[in-house]
Amino acid sequence: MKVSLNWLQDHVKVDLPVEDVAFKLTMCGLNCESIEKHGDDHVLELEISSNRPDLLGHRGVARELACLLGLPLHPLKLDYPVIEKDPDGRNLDEVVAVVVDDEDRCGRYVARVALDVKSGPSPPWLRQRIEAIGLRSINLVVDLSNFVLMDLGQPLHTFDLDLLEGDEVVIRRALGGEKFAAIDGSDHELDAEDLVIADSARVVALAGVMGGSRTEVGGKSSRILLESAWFEPVPVRETCRRLLLNSDSSHRFERRVDVDGADIASRRFFHLLCRETDTQVLAGCLETMREDLLLSVPPITVRPERVELILGEAISEQEITRILAGLGFVEETEGDAAGKWSVPSWRADCSREIDLIEEVGRIHGLDRVPDRQMEVRTVPEADSAQLSERVKSLMEGTGHHESLTFSFGTAGEFVEIGNWWCAGEPWIVRNPVRSNEGILRRSVLPGLLSCVRGNRLHGVETVRLFEVARVFHRREGMDRPVEKIHLAWVHSCFDGVEGTEAYREVRGVADAVLDLLRIDKHVRSSATWNPVPDDSGMLPGSSASLYVSTERLGIVGAVELDGVSGETWCGELDLGTLLDYAQFDLRYEEFSRQPGVRRDVNIVISDDILWRDISTEVEAAQLENLEDLTFVDLYRGKQLPKGHKSVTFNLTFRAGDRTLTHEEVDETVQGLIERLEERLQAKLRT
Amino acid sequence: MNQGSSKDLETLEIEALKAIESATDAPALEAVRIGVLGKKGSLKDVLRNLGSLPVEDRPAFGARANVVKKKVEAALSEAKERLSGASPKSRKNKRGLSADVTLPGSEVHRGSRHPVQLVSSRMIRIFGNLGFEVADGPEVEDEWHNFTGLNIPVDHIARDPAENFYLQDDLLMRSQTSTVQVRVMEGTPPPFRIIAPGKVFRPDTVDATHSYMFHQLEGLVVDEGITFGHLKATLLDFFQQLLQDEGMKLRLRPSFFPFTEPSAEVDLFWRDGWMEMGGCGMVDPNVLESVGIDSERWTGFAFGLGIERVAMASYNIPDIRYFTDNDVRFLQQFS
């Protein structure tokens, strides 16, 4: 909100440079975002929090400043001369009637009428005030109602009484489909949720939001009706949102105006109007008030020791009293309430002791409270957090750049990887920011793959990315998403390794993670990789999925990316579940210090037989002293019989207590070869 | 495999290398060369026996002979240079290549951690040293944890469907990590000293400083006798350790949040100006009471810091969108 320094001076005599005023206001919660010079005036742009509608007027700001500086706030003049009857001899209630049809929405309505209003140009002081804060001067009546709005934070509305049809003003719900032409030139169709001010013919104002063009007060108006009201905040907000209409008035009504302020603002308006022109105001006012709004919160006790417990600094009782009184709270002196504080009508945000302690802290200065050290405490680092960090370090160490993609997925997110992995209905977002990001992602890969495309199209030739993030799945019987932590990685190269070598590279990352988590050691050999089905969506023959026991916990393989040349490889693991299986204890295992014997074995075997079949067979053979089996090479070529491939693997033998002889190893290997020949129709390659 | 022939090759290699080493002048060296590699040299001799080997062993034997030949040649050329009196500095390496040591090393593929994660880890570490444990909560929340438990009334603007990502009634992407406060307090009795880093979601218009998904680090302390002064000291300690800069300043500027009272914005002065790093305050008694904690006995503070804000300030990153663009040329700068 724009606040003029000269205008503040109307309420409190401040003798400080504008920068000091801005700083003081900032440090009590009215953040000053900028200071602009305007003639001999300065205008501060203040950020007012939503719980303080009382600060949406100069007097409210001045009250804070007066309390901060220990200065008095000047009293507000509200008196004006009145006449009892109009020239036709009618009282106010004979001239016009106010009927509030919907007290739930319109809690208070105050109407007064002035006759013979000469609404010419505004005097210089008024023009300066409202122009300083960016309003345009229109005529005396309009300018004065704007002035009171910006002074007291109470919206006022003036109607040209001669343009109203009939002699009744009704505050009611709009009829479905009722039309309304607003003062800003916009046209609206209303519904029964909108509250309106109407005469006998039609809607003349949208309550709390904007007046209608038909009863606008022009320069020539002679009889005006001034409305000062209290409208229920939430419906005003909803009407504004629905009609995409906002105003300085609705901004305040939405935040709840001071219920006592309605009458004060009305009288202030007529005080100023009568000061500037020879207007005749009819005596009395037409008023309605909802009963519950008359009730105020019970007076509040403020314990100095509680103030100290919350702030960490002892504030004297005198200081507490000075601050609260300065802000308009009233210390009760009689009966049960003696010593308690009554809350002023404009502070609907205060109803508890803590609210008043905040006020004391705010004005005293939260920044002045001395620092107090907490007791020293140590905490253990969680095992899973440590392991998770080590997984990320592993990914970094293997050349992957950690990425950050959005948790939202797109309808077509599984075009590349297919929906076999992470199948299931997605959770739908009702109001996505981007129209295509309407679901919660079930896999991290689509996001990473889209980054691969972005990078490659920008000319980055080698792209290795990884991300650890949550995905959102559905589970039968659960009414909220199952959130899983996934690790995903991608590798795409303009001119890199291809085929089996590339597969082994991307698979190697998965194996390294499983090793790091000691999955194989813990969940004894139950981690297996199977080829994915041909219709999975991933490139068949190049993709595999990881099973631990019967759970599918990962996938690696190749995908085709539109517009990206070369091969793109990717993998994803259900890291959260794997972490549950992980073995945290590190324990040294004795190893044999005897020399080992290595043998390469090169066999030719049918293409249908997988490495897993071979390794299973080797394992089943239970070779004596076999320490390790390692895959070395796979080769296909013209030299080999059709439908066959050559597979080379390496066997390491080692005994715990002696040096093995070549002869005994050769014998063992020969036994294995015979077994492979018999069971897998393998042939030793020469 | 014919062991005899293989052994011949081995002997030949050892003897030839010994002779080359002991040659004291160029003619002696030449004599060794002719003796081994010449037409009637010992290597040719051995190779002549190739015919007597079984056919399947011949390729392997040939390959082995070739290796021996190359080794002898390399040793000869090295000895020649030694005998020609060249200075040690100009000597070639074993492979006979003149090493240009000013060449760059070959590329090692190094990855990197994301700047947001780097900062987040650092923040977790510092708060760990200050005695804070890491807590966690779901990213999809119900209205109780996201609003009601945090003292945000039913008609509050923060609940507006347009201000949040709702999945269905009573289920939304969390709009703040404060939800974890409620979850922690529901689950265990006080005292608490926790932090909860994580993603939060708000349908803001995207620009250089706003995104619809970003990271916060929430902190919560509840204990007997906890005051605003403790909050101040904790945040000051944290930022001093984070920035390691005498010139930094911290100020707590009164503000409003429904779940804390008094509430304040955390303003950090660093390098060239003031920046808003997040919000903080004393836990509102309603928040404590809603999870059954006696607010007369227990008091506490809470704070929420924007991790992207800290990362942008720390690394001088001008635009929050860079974090989610994932351009390798951006990411690799943090390796």
Side-chain angles (χ1 to χ4, degrees):
Chain A
M1 188 185 68
K2 287 190 187 328
V3 171
S4 137
L5 188 60
N6 286 354
W7 194 332
L8 288 178
Q9 300 272 11
D10 294 345
H11 294 285
V12 57
K13 184 85 204 82
V14 180
D15 199 12
L16 283 176
V18 64
E19 290 77 15
D20 290 6
V21 171
F23 180 74
K24 289 210 172 280
L25 289 172
T26 293
M27 292 314 289
C28 85
L30 289 74
N31 189 30
C32 179
E33 293 176 321
S34 65
I35 302 172
E36 269 175 48
K37 201 156 163 39
H38 194 274
D40 69 339
D41 198 358
H42 287 92
V43 177
L44 314 180
E45 182 70 53
L46 298 182
E47 192 186 348
I48 306 297
S49 58
S50 62
N51 63 328
R52 294 295 304 274
D54 64 303
L55 299 180
L56 294 172
H58 282 73
R59 190 163 177 86
V61 176
R63 186 183 295 115
E64 299 275 309
L65 203 51
C67 186
L68 281 168
L69 301 173
L71 296 169
L73 197 60
H74 302 160
L76 210 51
K77 286 192 179 138
L78 303 175
D79 59 305
Y80 53 91
V82 292
I83 54 166
E84 291 300 326
K85 290 179 191 296
D86 76 354
D88 299 333
R90 296 181 298 177
N91 294 321
L92 173 60
D93 54 8
E94 290 163 329
V95 172
V96 64
V98 168
V99 180
V100 175
D101 232 19
D102 189 340
E103 264 213 334
D104 291 342
R105 295 283 178 89
C106 175
R108 189 173 191 193
Y109 202 90
V110 178
R112 288 188 169 88
V113 168
L115 312 170
D116 207 14
V117 177
K118 298 162 201 71
S119 186
S122 294
W125 72 265
L126 180 55
R127 294 180 67 115
Q128 280 166 17
R129 288 285 180 271
I130 65 168
E131 283 172 0
I133 60 165
L135 296 177
R136 197 161 52 93
S137 172
I138 292 166
N139 60 48
L140 180 64
V141 169
V142 173
D143 289 358
L144 269 184
S145 68
N146 280 332
F147 175 82
V148 174
L149 164 69
M150 294 301 178
D151 194 38
L152 305 180
Q154 169 66 44
L156 299 177
H157 192 73
T158 50
F159 298 97
D160 186 332
L161 206 51
D162 296 318
L163 296 177
L164 284 178
E165 300 266 339
D167 47 14
E168 228 180 43
V169 171
V170 185
I171 295 93
R172 60 163 168 86
R173 298 288 188 94
L175 309 169
E178 204 165 4
K179 300 279 193 299
F180 172 64
I183 210 166
D184 69 351
S186 60
D187 288 307
H188 302 275
E189 192 174 309
L190 309 179
D191 73 19
E193 285 305 308
D194 300 320
L195 190 70
V196 298
I197 319 295
D199 61 13
S200 61
R202 62 183 88 181
V203 174
V204 295
L206 197 52
V209 183
M210 204 168 277
S213 51
R214 210 163 53 85
T215 54
E216 191 177 349
V217 175
K220 288 179 223 149
S221 301
S222 66
R223 292 199 310 159
I224 62 164
L225 179 143
L226 181 82
E227 162 198 300
S228 184
W230 187 96
F231 297 113
E232 197 64 45
V234 175
V236 171
R237 189 171 81 205
E238 279 164 1
T239 289
C240 285
R241 193 173 283 279
R242 209 171 49 71
L243 301 179
L244 300 173
L245 203 58
N246 282 292
S247 65
D248 286 330
S249 297
S250 66
H251 185 73
R252 285 158 180 81
F253 283 124
E254 277 176 29
R255 285 161 177 74
R256 189 187 175 104
V257 298
D258 173 11
V259 72
D260 287 1
D263 184 53
I264 293 169
S266 170
R267 285 153 62 199
R268 178 72 179 158
F269 174 89
F270 287 110
H271 169 86
L272 294 169
L273 185 65
C274 293
R275 204 177 77 188
E276 298 303 330
T277 68
D278 291 333
T279 298
Q280 294 176 310
V281 184
L282 279 176
C285 75
L286 304 165
E287 185 180 7
T288 66
M289 176 82 145
R290 205 171 76 204
E291 269 185 23
D292 65 291
L293 291 174
L294 289 166
L295 303 171
S296 50
V297 295
I300 299 164
T301 305
V302 177
R303 295 164 292 173
E305 65 276 13
R306 190 72 189 169
V307 174
E308 184 178 358
L309 178 60
I310 295 295
L311 299 181
E313 180 181 2
I315 313 277
S316 70
E317 270 184 72
Q318 293 90 317
E319 179 68 351
I320 292 171
T321 300
R322 184 195 73 75
I323 290 171
L324 292 177
L327 292 175
F329 294 87
V330 179
E331 190 169 14
E332 299 293 330
T333 52
E334 283 170 28
D336 290 347
K340 295 185 179 181
W341 291 90
S342 287
V343 179
S345 62
W346 60 84
R347 291 304 301 269
D349 60 309
C350 292
S351 61
R352 303 166 300 162
E353 184 183 27
I354 191 71
D355 300 326
L356 271 56
I357 293 174
E358 175 172 50
E359 292 307 291
V360 172
R362 211 167 51 78
I363 299 297
H364 171 75
L366 289 179
D367 217 44
R368 275 170 58 189
V369 172
D371 294 345
R372 291 178 58 175
Q373 297 294 333
M374 290 197 296
E375 236 177 90
V376 175
R377 229 188 92 185
T378 57
V379 291
E381 195 184 352
D383 283 340
S384 64
Q386 268 189 48
L387 261 189
S388 179
E389 273 304 302
R390 289 190 59 200
V391 168
K392 292 178 191 173
S393 296
L394 171 77
M395 298 309 294
E396 180 188 5
T398 49
H400 298 85
H401 298 291
E402 187 174 20
S403 303
L404 175 59
T405 58
F406 288 102
S407 301
F408 302 99
T410 66
E413 68 173 343
F414 288 141
V415 164
E416 275 111 13
I417 65 167
N419 57 7
W420 179 77
W421 168 244
C422 298
E425 280 300 299
W427 290 87
I428 312 280
V429 183
R430 279 183 182 168
N431 52 331
V433 163
R434 303 184 197 182
S435 57
N436 61 344
E437 291 188 336
I439 61 170
L440 296 190
R441 63 172 163 192
R442 291 162 283 175
S443 160
V444 181
L445 277 181
L448 279 190
L449 288 169
S450 121
C451 295
V452 166
R453 186 184 285 114
N455 272 290
R456 293 289 309 276
L457 296 181
H458 282 110
V460 179
E461 295 198 338
T462 303
V463 185
R464 279 198 187 85
L465 304 174
F466 85 97
E467 183 171 2
V468 173
R470 291 190 204 191
V471 298
F472 305 86
H473 291 179
R474 275 184 193 273
R475 187 176 293 160
E476 195 86 24
M478 275 193 64
D479 54 2
R480 56 195 302 162
V482 179
E483 299 186 15
K484 293 182 164 178
I485 299 168
H486 275 198
L487 160 69
W489 67 101
V490 293
H491 178 201
S492 177
C493 235
F494 170 68
D495 186 19
V497 294
E498 293 187 327
T500 304
E501 210 179 325
Y503 170 77
R504 293 192 62 212
E505 204 177 301
V506 76
R507 168 69 189 277
V509 173
D511 290 343
V513 172
L514 296 180
D515 267 2
L516 176 66
L517 303 179
R518 307 190 132 60
I519 295 299
D520 253 349
K521 291 207 164 74
H522 184 55
V523 197
R524 279 276 165 212
S525 298
S526 60
T528 55
W529 291 89
N530 294 338
V532 299
D534 283 353
D535 60 355
S536 72
M538 305 271 290
L539 288 182
S542 329
S543 308
S545 67
L546 166 74
Y547 288 82
V548 174
S549 299
T550 55
E551 272 178 292
R552 189 160 72 209
L553 295 183
I555 193 164
V556 298
V559 295
E560 235 161 52
L561 278 191
D562 260 3
V564 173
S565 63
E567 295 183 341
T568 295
W569 293 82
C570 61
E572 182 160 16
L573 293 175
D574 179 347
L575 184 63
T577 305
L578 290 171
L579 281 169
D580 291 340
Y581 287 137
Q583 171 99 6
F584 295 105
D585 282 348
L586 275 183
R587 218 164 275 200
Y588 167 71
E589 277 174 32
E590 196 59 63
F591 60 91
S592 165
R593 288 160 203 271
Q594 300 295 330
V597 178
R598 291 161 57 105
R599 285 286 181 270
D600 274 353
V601 177
N602 183 353
I603 54 173
V604 176
I605 200 162
S606 161
D607 240 347
D608 306 337
I609 295 186
L610 303 177
W611 167 250
R612 194 180 55 200
D613 305 325
I614 299 170
S615 60
T616 307
E617 205 54 54
V618 173
E619 225 166 276
Q622 297 191 318
L623 304 183
E624 207 178 341
N625 295 317
L626 178 67
E627 181 184 68
D628 200 16
L629 162 71
T630 346
F631 170 84
V632 175
D633 187 38
L634 184 148
Y635 170 78
R636 289 187 182 86
K638 285 181 199 148
Q639 299 92 322
L640 299 170
K642 205 169 176 224
H644 282 67
K645 62 191 170 190
S646 144
V647 175
T648 309
F649 56 87
N650 181 279
L651 299 163
T652 305
F653 296 88
R654 198 188 308 271
D657 52 354
R658 65 195 169 88
T659 305
L660 293 174
T661 66
H662 286 277
E663 286 71 22
E664 63 180 316
V665 169
D666 287 343
E667 200 175 308
T668 310
V669 172
Q670 189 54 40
L672 174 68
I673 289 165
E674 281 161 20
R675 185 184 174 107
L676 296 179
E677 280 171 351
E678 184 193 323
R679 300 177 73 107
L680 301 179
Q681 284 74 52
K683 287 207 173 59
L684 195 65
R685 193 175 177 213
T686 51
Chain B
M1 192 178 279
N2 185 319
Q3 293 284 325
S5 300
S6 197
K7 266 189 186 142
D8 288 351
L9 265 181
E10 223 163 285
T11 320
L12 184 149
E13 182 186 336
I14 292 165
E15 282 171 359
L17 293 179
K18 210 179 270 177
I20 290 166
E21 207 177 321
S22 50
T24 50
D25 55 20
L29 198 61
E30 183 60 11
V32 176
R33 191 190 69 80
I34 292 166
V36 180
L37 304 178
K39 277 181 185 163
K40 291 175 182 169
S42 47
L43 187 62
K44 282 278 184 268
D45 257 359
V46 174
L47 285 174
R48 252 173 236 124
N49 294 333
L50 198 58
S52 65
L53 288 175
V55 176
E56 67 268 25
D57 287 349
R58 286 179 198 169
F61 184 80
R64 171 84 183 108
N66 214 29
V67 171
V68 172
K69 187 181 171 204
K70 284 208 167 125
K71 274 189 182 168
V72 172
E73 280 172 348
L76 278 169
S77 114
E78 199 181 332
K80 198 171 168 190
E81 202 165 311
R82 166 170 54 86
L83 294 175
S84 72
S87 74
K89 271 184 191 169
S90 73
R91 264 162 57 189
K92 292 173 179 175
N93 67 18
K94 281 186 183 160
R95 285 180 172 275
L97 295 170
S98 162
D100 175 356
V101 295
T102 64
L103 286 174
S106 61
E107 198 189 347
V108 172
H109 287 296
R110 237 164 19 112
S112 55
R113 295 298 303 277
H114 195 277
V116 167
Q117 295 296 336
L118 285 178
V119 166
S120 175
S121 299
R122 197 162 147 65
M123 292 169 83
I124 292 170
R125 217 159 45 235
I126 295 170
F127 278 114
N129 292 341
L130 296 173
F132 286 78
E133 259 175 282
V134 176
D136 194 17
E139 288 175 7
V140 174
E141 269 297 5
D142 46 58
E143 291 187 313
W144 161 258
H145 290 96
N146 203 74
F147 300 123
T148 314
L150 290 166
N151 197 35
I152 299 173
V154 172
D155 59 5
H156 196 276
I157 188 122
R159 291 193 181 219
D160 195 304
E163 307 287 330
N164 295 284
F165 288 116
Y166 271 89
L167 305 180
Q168 55 194 46
D169 292 343
D170 197 30
L171 209 55
L172 70 157
M173 307 297 288
R174 67 177 174 198
S175 61
Q176 54 210 357
T177 41
S178 309
T179 53
V180 184
Q181 281 186 33
V182 183
R183 289 199 167 267
V184 167
M185 291 193 288
E186 279 174 335
T188 34
F192 313 109
R193 204 185 286 188
I194 58 114
I195 49 167
K199 291 191 174 91
V200 297
F201 306 85
R202 292 175 199 173
D204 282 347
T205 309
V206 179
D207 61 26
T209 54
H210 295 87
S211 180
Y212 51 98
M213 179 186 92
F214 54 98
H215 293 74
Q216 279 184 339
L217 185 134
E218 186 78 11
L220 171 73
V221 173
V222 176
D223 208 334
E224 286 168 316
I226 291 293
T227 70
F228 196 87
H230 292 111
L231 167 60
K232 278 187 69 188
T234 302
L235 288 176
L236 188 66
D237 257 10
F238 165 74
F239 278 105
Q240 278 173 345
Q241 289 191 41
L242 181 79
L243 305 173
Q244 314 267 338
D245 181 351
E246 295 283 310
M248 78 107 203
K249 278 182 275 188
L250 196 68
R251 75 176 185 197
L252 301 185
R253 171 168 52 82
S255 185
F256 168 67
F257 308 110
F259 33 93
T260 50
E261 187 151 19
S263 302
E265 297 281 349
V266 182
D267 287 351
L268 172 72
F269 183 89
W270 195 41
R271 293 183 182 154
D272 355 273
W274 288 100
M275 296 175 280
E276 288 183 15
M277 305 308 291
C280 69
M282 298 301 289
V283 181
D284 194 292
N286 286 355
V287 172
L288 295 172
E289 297 291 343
S290 78
V291 287
I293 294 174
D294 178 4
S295 64
E296 272 294 306
R297 178 178 166 200
W298 304 95
T299 55
F301 65 75
F303 54 85
L305 303 174
I307 299 180
E308 275 85 350
R309 292 268 172 96
V310 178
M312 288 170 85
S314 297
Y315 301 124
N316 202 22
I317 296 168
D319 194 318
I320 197 170
R321 289 169 289 200
Y322 293 0
F323 290 131
T324 44
D325 284 349
N326 299 304
D327 193 307
V328 168
R329 294 162 295 184
F330 170 82
L331 297 175
Q332 70 193 3
Q333 295 186 29
F334 301 93
S335 72

